[in-house]
CSV table of all heavy atoms in Angstrom, one decimal:
chain,number,residue,atom,x,y,z
A,570,ASP,N,0.9,-1.2,0.0
A,570,ASP,CA,0.0,0.0,0.0
A,570,ASP,C,0.9,1.2,0.0
A,570,ASP,O,1.5,1.6,1.0
A,570,ASP,CB,-0.9,-0.1,1.3
A,570,ASP,CG,-1.9,1.1,1.2
A,570,ASP,OD1,-1.6,2.1,0.6
A,570,ASP,OD2,-3.0,1.0,1.9
A,571,ALA,N,1.0,1.9,-1.2
A,571,ALA,CA,1.9,3.0,-1.3
A,571,ALA,C,1.4,4.2,-0.5
A,571,ALA,O,2.2,5.2,-0.1
A,571,ALA,CB,2.1,3.4,-2.8
A,572,GLN,N,0.1,4.3,-0.1
A,572,GLN,CA,-0.3,5.5,0.6
A,572,GLN,C,0.1,5.4,2.1
A,572,GLN,O,0.6,6.4,2.6
A,572,GLN,CB,-1.8,5.6,0.6
A,572,GLN,CG,-2.4,5.9,-0.8
A,572,GLN,CD,-3.9,6.2,-0.8
A,572,GLN,OE1,-4.6,5.6,0.1
A,572,GLN,NE2,-4.4,7.0,-1.7
A,573,THR,N,0.0,4.2,2.7
A,573,THR,CA,0.5,4.0,4.0
A,573,THR,C,2.0,3.6,4.1
A,573,THR,O,2.6,3.5,5.1
A,573,THR,CB,-0.3,3.0,4.8
A,573,THR,OG1,-0.2,1.7,4.1
A,573,THR,CG2,-1.8,3.4,4.7
A,574,GLU,N,2.5,3.2,2.9
A,574,GLU,CA,3.9,2.7,2.8
A,574,GLU,C,4.1,1.5,3.7
A,574,GLU,O,5.1,1.3,4.4
A,574,GLU,CB,5.0,3.8,3.2
A,574,GLU,CG,4.8,5.0,2.2
A,574,GLU,CD,6.0,6.0,2.5
A,574,GLU,OE1,6.7,5.9,3.4
A,574,GLU,OE2,5.9,7.1,1.8
A,575,GLN,N,3.1,0.6,3.6
A,575,GLN,CA,3.1,-0.6,4.3
A,575,GLN,C,3.0,-1.9,3.4
A,575,GLN,O,2.3,-1.8,2.5
A,575,GLN,CB,1.9,-0.6,5.4
A,575,GLN,CG,2.1,0.4,6.5
A,575,GLN,CD,0.9,0.4,7.4
A,575,GLN,OE1,-0.1,-0.4,7.3
A,575,GLN,NE2,0.9,1.2,8.4
A,576,LEU,N,3.8,-2.9,3.8
A,576,LEU,CA,3.6,-4.2,3.1
A,576,LEU,C,2.6,-5.0,3.9
A,576,LEU,O,2.7,-5.2,5.1
A,576,LEU,CB,5.0,-4.8,3.2
A,576,LEU,CG,5.1,-6.2,2.4
A,576,LEU,CD1,5.0,-6.1,1.0
A,576,LEU,CD2,6.4,-6.9,2.8
A,577,GLN,N,1.6,-5.5,3.2
A,577,GLN,CA,0.7,-6.3,3.8
A,577,GLN,C,0.7,-7.7,3.4
A,577,GLN,O,0.7,-8.1,2.2
A,577,GLN,CB,-0.8,-5.8,3.5
A,577,GLN,CG,-1.9,-6.6,4.0
A,577,GLN,CD,-3.3,-6.0,3.8
A,577,GLN,OE1,-3.5,-4.8,4.0
A,577,GLN,NE2,-4.3,-6.8,3.4
A,578,ILE,N,0.8,-8.6,4.3
A,578,ILE,CA,0.9,-10.1,4.1
A,578,ILE,C,-0.3,-10.8,4.7
A,578,ILE,O,-0.5,-10.8,5.9
A,578,ILE,CB,2.2,-10.7,4.7
A,578,ILE,CG1,3.5,-9.9,4.1
A,578,ILE,CG2,2.3,-12.1,4.5
A,578,ILE,CD1,4.8,-10.4,4.7
A,579,GLY,N,-1.1,-11.4,3.9
A,579,GLY,CA,-2.2,-12.1,4.2
A,579,GLY,C,-3.5,-11.2,4.6
A,579,GLY,O,-3.5,-10.0,4.2
A,580,PRO,N,-4.5,-11.9,5.3
A,580,PRO,CA,-4.4,-13.3,5.7
A,580,PRO,C,-4.6,-14.2,4.6
A,580,PRO,O,-5.4,-14.0,3.7
A,580,PRO,CB,-5.6,-13.3,6.7
A,580,PRO,CG,-6.5,-12.2,6.3
A,580,PRO,CD,-5.7,-11.1,5.7
A,581,TYR,N,-3.8,-15.4,4.7
A,581,TYR,CA,-4.0,-16.4,3.6
A,581,TYR,C,-4.6,-17.6,4.2
A,581,TYR,O,-4.6,-17.9,5.4
A,581,TYR,CB,-2.5,-16.7,3.1
A,581,TYR,CG,-1.7,-15.7,2.6
A,581,TYR,CD1,-0.2,-15.7,2.8
A,581,TYR,CD2,-2.2,-14.6,1.9
A,581,TYR,CE1,0.5,-14.7,2.4
A,581,TYR,CE2,-1.4,-13.6,1.4
A,581,TYR,CZ,0.0,-13.6,1.6
A,581,TYR,OH,0.8,-12.6,1.2
A,582,SER,N,-5.1,-18.4,3.3
A,582,SER,CA,-5.6,-19.7,3.6
A,582,SER,C,-5.2,-20.7,2.5
A,582,SER,O,-5.1,-20.3,1.3
A,582,SER,CB,-7.1,-19.8,3.9
A,582,SER,OG,-7.8,-19.4,2.7
A,583,TRP,N,-4.9,-21.9,2.8
A,583,TRP,CA,-4.7,-22.9,1.7
A,583,TRP,C,-5.1,-24.3,2.3
A,583,TRP,O,-5.2,-24.5,3.6
A,583,TRP,CB,-3.2,-22.9,1.3
A,583,TRP,CG,-2.2,-23.1,2.4
A,583,TRP,CD1,-2.0,-24.1,3.2
A,583,TRP,CD2,-1.3,-22.1,2.8
A,583,TRP,NE1,-0.9,-23.9,4.1
A,583,TRP,CE2,-0.5,-22.6,3.8
A,583,TRP,CE3,-1.0,-20.8,2.4
A,583,TRP,CZ2,0.5,-22.0,4.5
A,583,TRP,CZ3,0.0,-20.2,3.0
A,583,TRP,CH2,0.8,-20.7,4.0
A,584,MET,N,-5.3,-25.2,1.4
A,584,MET,CA,-5.6,-26.6,1.8
A,584,MET,C,-4.3,-27.3,2.1
A,584,MET,O,-3.2,-26.9,1.6
A,584,MET,CB,-6.3,-27.4,0.6
A,584,MET,CG,-7.7,-26.7,0.3
A,584,MET,SD,-8.8,-26.9,1.6
A,584,MET,CE,-9.1,-28.7,1.6
A,585,PRO,N,-4.3,-28.3,3.0
A,585,PRO,CA,-3.0,-29.1,3.2
A,585,PRO,C,-2.4,-29.5,2.0
A,585,PRO,O,-3.1,-30.1,1.0
A,585,PRO,CB,-3.5,-30.2,4.1
A,585,PRO,CG,-4.8,-29.7,4.8
A,585,PRO,CD,-5.4,-28.8,3.8
A,586,PHE,N,-1.1,-29.3,1.8
A,586,PHE,CA,-0.4,-29.7,0.6
A,586,PHE,C,-0.4,-31.2,0.4
A,586,PHE,O,-0.1,-31.9,1.2
A,586,PHE,CB,1.0,-29.2,0.7
A,586,PHE,CG,1.7,-29.1,-0.7
A,586,PHE,CD1,1.6,-28.1,-1.5
A,586,PHE,CD2,2.5,-30.2,-1.1
A,586,PHE,CE1,2.2,-28.1,-2.8
A,586,PHE,CE2,3.2,-30.1,-2.3
A,586,PHE,CZ,3.0,-29.1,-3.2
A,587,PRO,N,-0.9,-31.6,-0.8
A,587,PRO,CA,-1.1,-33.1,-1.1
A,587,PRO,C,0.3,-33.8,-1.0
A,587,PRO,O,1.3,-33.4,-1.6
A,587,PRO,CB,-1.7,-33.1,-2.5
A,587,PRO,CG,-1.4,-31.9,-3.1
A,587,PRO,CD,-1.3,-30.8,-2.0
A,588,HIS,N,0.3,-34.9,-0.3
A,588,HIS,CA,1.5,-35.8,-0.3
A,588,HIS,C,2.8,-35.0,0.2
A,588,HIS,O,3.8,-35.4,-0.3
A,588,HIS,CB,1.7,-36.5,-1.7
A,588,HIS,CG,0.4,-37.0,-2.2
A,588,HIS,ND1,-0.3,-38.0,-1.7
A,588,HIS,CD2,-0.2,-36.6,-3.4
A,588,HIS,CE1,-1.3,-38.3,-2.4
A,588,HIS,NE2,-1.4,-37.5,-3.4
A,589,VAL,N,2.6,-34.2,1.1
A,589,VAL,CA,3.8,-33.4,1.5
A,589,VAL,C,4.9,-34.2,2.1
A,589,VAL,O,6.1,-34.1,1.8
A,589,VAL,CB,3.4,-32.3,2.5
A,589,VAL,CG1,2.9,-32.8,3.8
A,589,VAL,CG2,4.5,-31.3,2.8
A,590,ASP,N,4.6,-35.2,2.8
A,590,ASP,CA,5.6,-36.1,3.4
A,590,ASP,C,6.3,-36.9,2.3
A,590,ASP,O,7.5,-37.2,2.4
A,590,ASP,CB,5.0,-37.1,4.4
A,590,ASP,CG,4.5,-36.5,5.7
A,590,ASP,OD1,5.3,-35.6,6.2
A,590,ASP,OD2,3.4,-36.8,6.2
A,591,PHE,N,5.6,-37.4,1.3
A,591,PHE,CA,6.1,-38.1,0.2
A,591,PHE,C,7.2,-37.2,-0.5
A,591,PHE,O,8.3,-37.6,-0.8
A,591,PHE,CB,5.1,-38.4,-0.8
A,591,PHE,CG,5.6,-39.0,-2.2
A,591,PHE,CD1,6.0,-40.3,-2.3
A,591,PHE,CD2,5.7,-38.1,-3.2
A,591,PHE,CE1,6.6,-40.6,-3.5
A,591,PHE,CE2,6.2,-38.5,-4.5
A,591,PHE,CZ,6.6,-39.8,-4.6
A,592,TRP,N,6.9,-35.9,-0.8
A,592,TRP,CA,7.8,-35.0,-1.5
A,592,TRP,C,9.0,-34.8,-0.6
A,592,TRP,O,10.1,-34.7,-1.2
A,592,TRP,CB,7.1,-33.8,-1.9
A,592,TRP,CG,6.2,-34.0,-3.0
A,592,TRP,CD1,4.8,-33.8,-2.9
A,592,TRP,CD2,6.5,-34.4,-4.3
A,592,TRP,NE1,4.2,-34.1,-4.2
A,592,TRP,CE2,5.2,-34.4,-5.0
A,592,TRP,CE3,7.6,-34.7,-5.0
A,592,TRP,CZ2,5.2,-34.9,-6.4
A,592,TRP,CZ3,7.6,-35.1,-6.3
A,592,TRP,CH2,6.4,-35.2,-7.0
A,593,LEU,N,8.8,-34.6,0.7
A,593,LEU,CA,10.0,-34.4,1.6
A,593,LEU,C,11.0,-35.5,1.6
A,593,LEU,O,12.1,-35.4,2.0
A,593,LEU,CB,9.5,-34.0,3.0
A,593,LEU,CG,8.9,-32.6,3.2
A,593,LEU,CD1,8.1,-32.5,4.5
A,593,LEU,CD2,10.0,-31.5,2.9
A,594,GLN,N,10.5,-36.7,1.3
A,594,GLN,CA,11.3,-37.9,1.3
A,594,GLN,C,12.1,-38.1,0.0
A,594,GLN,O,13.1,-38.9,-0.1
A,594,GLN,CB,10.5,-39.1,1.5
A,594,GLN,CG,9.9,-39.2,2.9
A,594,GLN,CD,8.9,-40.3,3.0
A,594,GLN,OE1,8.6,-41.1,2.1
A,594,GLN,NE2,8.2,-40.4,4.2
A,595,GLN,N,11.8,-37.3,-1.0
A,595,GLN,CA,12.4,-37.4,-2.4
A,595,GLN,C,13.8,-36.9,-2.4
A,595,GLN,O,14.1,-35.9,-1.7
A,595,GLN,CB,11.5,-36.9,-3.4
A,595,GLN,CG,10.1,-37.5,-3.5
A,595,GLN,CD,10.1,-39.0,-3.5
A,595,GLN,OE1,10.7,-39.6,-4.5
A,595,GLN,NE2,9.6,-39.7,-2.5
A,596,ASP,N,14.7,-37.4,-3.2
A,596,ASP,CA,16.0,-36.8,-3.4
A,596,ASP,C,15.9,-35.6,-4.3
A,596,ASP,O,14.8,-35.2,-4.9
A,596,ASP,CB,16.9,-37.9,-4.0
A,596,ASP,CG,16.5,-38.4,-5.3
A,596,ASP,OD1,15.8,-37.6,-6.1
A,596,ASP,OD2,17.0,-39.5,-5.8
A,597,ASP,N,17.0,-34.9,-4.4
A,597,ASP,CA,17.1,-33.6,-5.1
A,597,ASP,C,16.7,-33.8,-6.6
A,597,ASP,O,16.0,-32.9,-7.2
A,597,ASP,CB,18.5,-33.0,-5.1
A,597,ASP,CG,19.0,-32.6,-3.7
A,597,ASP,OD1,18.0,-32.8,-2.8
A,597,ASP,OD2,20.0,-32.0,-3.6
A,598,LYS,N,17.1,-34.9,-7.2
A,598,LYS,CA,16.7,-35.1,-8.7
A,598,LYS,C,15.2,-35.2,-8.9
A,598,LYS,O,14.7,-34.6,-9.8
A,598,LYS,CB,17.4,-36.3,-9.1
A,598,LYS,CG,17.2,-36.6,-10.6
A,598,LYS,CD,18.1,-37.9,-11.0
A,598,LYS,CE,17.9,-38.2,-12.5
A,598,LYS,NZ,16.5,-38.7,-12.9
A,599,GLN,N,14.5,-35.9,-8.0
A,599,GLN,CA,13.1,-36.0,-8.1
A,599,GLN,C,12.4,-34.7,-7.9
A,599,GLN,O,11.4,-34.3,-8.5
A,599,GLN,CB,12.5,-37.1,-7.1
A,599,GLN,CG,12.9,-38.5,-7.5
A,599,GLN,CD,12.3,-38.9,-8.8
A,599,GLN,OE1,11.2,-38.7,-9.1
A,599,GLN,NE2,13.1,-39.6,-9.5
A,600,ILE,N,12.8,-33.9,-6.9
A,600,ILE,CA,12.2,-32.6,-6.7
A,600,ILE,C,12.4,-31.8,-7.9
A,600,ILE,O,11.5,-31.0,-8.4
A,600,ILE,CB,12.8,-32.0,-5.4
A,600,ILE,CG1,12.2,-32.7,-4.1
A,600,ILE,CG2,12.6,-30.5,-5.4
A,600,ILE,CD1,12.7,-32.2,-2.8
A,601,LEU,N,13.6,-31.7,-8.4
A,601,LEU,CA,13.8,-30.9,-9.6
A,601,LEU,C,12.9,-31.3,-10.8
A,601,LEU,O,12.3,-30.4,-11.4
A,601,LEU,CB,15.3,-31.0,-10.0
A,601,LEU,CG,16.3,-30.0,-9.4
A,601,LEU,CD1,17.7,-30.3,-9.7
A,601,LEU,CD2,16.0,-28.6,-9.8
A,602,GLU,N,12.9,-32.6,-11.0
A,602,GLU,CA,12.1,-33.1,-12.2
A,602,GLU,C,10.6,-32.9,-12.1
A,602,GLU,O,9.9,-32.7,-13.1
A,602,GLU,CB,12.6,-34.5,-12.5
A,602,GLU,CG,13.9,-34.6,-13.0
A,602,GLU,CD,14.3,-36.2,-13.3
A,602,GLU,OE1,13.4,-37.1,-13.0
A,602,GLU,OE2,15.4,-36.5,-13.8
A,603,ASN,N,10.2,-32.9,-10.9
A,603,ASN,CA,8.7,-32.9,-10.7
A,603,ASN,C,8.1,-31.6,-10.1
A,603,ASN,O,7.0,-31.3,-10.4
A,603,ASN,CB,8.3,-34.1,-9.7
A,603,ASN,CG,8.5,-35.4,-10.4
A,603,ASN,OD1,7.7,-35.8,-11.1
A,603,ASN,ND2,9.6,-36.1,-10.1
A,604,LEU,N,9.0,-30.8,-9.5
A,604,LEU,CA,8.4,-29.5,-8.9
A,604,LEU,C,9.1,-28.3,-9.6
A,604,LEU,O,8.9,-27.2,-9.0
A,604,LEU,CB,8.7,-29.5,-7.4
A,604,LEU,CG,7.9,-30.7,-6.6
A,604,LEU,CD1,8.2,-30.5,-5.1
A,604,LEU,CD2,6.4,-30.6,-6.9
A,605,SER,N,9.8,-28.5,-10.6
A,605,SER,CA,10.3,-27.3,-11.4
A,605,SER,C,9.8,-27.3,-12.8
A,605,SER,O,9.6,-28.5,-13.4
A,605,SER,CB,11.8,-27.4,-11.4
A,605,SER,OG,12.4,-26.5,-12.3
């Protein structure tokens, strides 16, 4: 907001990220190939 010179973050909401534990177990190559 340039009038107040303030950065506003949120409020945000999102659904639980699908298969988050699965992705955290993957190696770098899998993350690059599938999430990039």
Side-chain angles (χ1 to χ4, degrees):
D570 185 337
Q572 290 188 334
T573 61
E574 299 185 0
Q575 294 177 359
L576 180 70
Q577 176 173 317
I578 300 173
Y581 304 146
S582 64
W583 54 66
M584 298 295 291
F586 195 84
H588 312 298
V589 65
D590 288 319
F591 168 81
W592 288 116
L593 285 169
Q594 293 170 3
Q595 303 308 300
D596 60 23
D597 292 0
K598 183 174 183 290
Q599 288 298 318
I600 287 180
L601 271 170
E602 290 183 352
N603 291 279
L604 297 181
S605 168

